[in-house]
Amino acid sequence: AEQTIAKKNTSARVVEEIKKGRSRGNESLHDFLLLAQRQMAPAKVNWRDLFRRAMATANDEISRGRSDYSYRRVNRRAHGSEYIFPGMVKYIPKSTLGIDCSGSMDTQDFNIILNEAEGIMKSSSKGKDAFRVFPVDTQVKHIQPVKSVNNIKLTGGGGTDMSVAVQFINEMDAKTKPDIFVLATDGFTDWVKYENQAKLGVRKYIHILLVTQKDGYKSVPESLRKIIHVIDVSKD
């Protein structure tokens, strides 16, 4: 509670400094403080709650916190017994974030996405390679395991075809395929191609679409909304 109050107070002071900087014509100060304020913005999506609800409806063996018996880990309490008893294992769900890096994306779009990425990392598993990120425009770039938003490398700037991101996930083998796939985009893409790929991934993983522009969010067809989670994260 104290941290939340401190953040709100700091944000309010930053807003006041931005106004003062504008009145003094200090544009460099204004730009710096505006950037600071954007970086302080919390994730719009309650990822902890969303992951909890999403994983509850997923396969039992990948549900958050679900444990099972396995002979890969022998029960140490049975040491000295003539029988071998299975130990308990815990399944750690993996999540992957695809980021639209096409030419239509701007600084505000990326700021929104990075805020959500930080929210995902705070709410998802901390296991090795449990969270990975890749940029995409008309093709998928390098996929990278990350532990901080500062480590995310964004490259692209060409045309837009977000269906290739879904195709990339669909073609992963079972070992590397994520349990939760999140794609962040401004929403200006070919939804027909996207939906065709999304249908192939139904029941194989949880599919979440983040849209950073209000008009882009409105353009998502209702048929696609019925098979994946579509969330408006625009500033409006």
Side-chain angles (χ1 to χ4, degrees):
E2 291 177 353
Q3 290 179 353
T4 300
I5 293 172
K7 287 180 179 179
K8 288 182 178 179
N9 290 340
T10 303
S11 181
R13 289 198 299 270
V14 168
V15 171
E16 288 302 315
E17 289 299 323
I18 288 174
K19 293 178 180 178
K20 292 179 182 178
R22 277 179 174 167
S23 64
R24 293 194 298 263
N26 191 341
E27 288 301 321
S28 59
L29 175 63
H30 163 248
D31 292 342
F32 172 76
L33 292 175
L34 186 58
L35 176 61
Q37 185 188 32
R38 285 173 177 169
Q39 292 302 321
M40 286 193 301
K44 189 171 183 179
V45 178
N46 185 340
W47 289 104
R48 190 179 299 277
D49 181 61
L50 180 61
F51 278 11
R52 186 185 297 113
R53 288 187 289 112
M55 295 308 295
T57 59
N59 242 328
D60 283 347
E61 67 262 23
I62 63 170
S63 293
R64 179 175 295 278
R66 182 63 59 94
S67 298
D68 200 358
Y69 291 99
S70 172
Y71 283 98
R72 289 179 297 176
R73 181 183 293 273
V74 179
N75 191 331
R76 294 182 180 180
R77 295 182 179 180
H79 180 70
S81 171
E82 61 179 306
Y83 302 103
I84 298 176
F85 294 93
M88 298 294 291
V89 294
K90 183 176 180 179
Y91 296 92
I92 300 177
K94 303 183 296 293
S95 56
T96 298
L97 170 65
I99 299 178
D100 183 351
C101 288
S102 61
S104 62
M105 297 286 287
D106 60 23
T107 303
Q108 177 173 284
D109 293 318
F110 289 126
N111 283 334
I112 293 173
I113 292 171
L114 293 180
N115 287 334
E116 299 304 324
E118 187 170 2
I120 294 172
M121 282 186 281
K122 288 181 178 178
S123 305
S124 59
S125 304
K126 302 299 188 293
K128 182 180 179 182
D129 295 347
F131 179 62
R132 294 178 296 172
V133 177
F134 64 83
V136 56
D137 45 26
T138 57
Q139 58 182 335
V140 172
K141 313 294 182 179
H142 51 281
I143 186 168
Q144 49 194 309
V146 296
K147 294 183 178 179
S148 169
V149 292
N150 297 326
N151 302 134
I152 297 177
K153 298 178 181 178
L154 301 177
T155 57
T160 306
D161 184 0
M162 293 298 102
S163 67
V164 299
V166 189
Q167 182 180 358
F168 176 71
I169 298 296
N170 289 340
E171 293 177 352
M172 284 183 170
D173 56 42
K175 186 177 180 180
T176 57
K177 192 186 298 293
D179 303 305
I180 301 175
F181 170 56
V182 182
L183 179 73
T185 175
D186 58 7
F188 302 112
T189 188
D190 186 336
W191 291 121
V192 174
K193 293 175 62 177
Y194 191 98
E195 185 173 341
N196 288 338
Q197 287 295 328
K199 289 177 180 177
L200 299 177
V202 172
R203 301 184 186 280
K204 295 180 180 179
Y205 54 86
I206 297 166
H207 189 156
I208 300 172
L209 179 67
L210 304 181
V211 188
T212 62
Q213 295 291 331
K214 181 66 69 175
D215 289 340
Y217 175 76
K218 292 178 180 178
S219 71
V220 180
E222 189 61 32
S223 54
L224 180 58
R225 297 173 189 266
K226 291 180 179 179
I227 61 175
I228 69 172
H229 302 271
V230 183
I231 303 175
D232 177 10
V233 291
S234 66
K235 288 294 185 183
D236 298 335

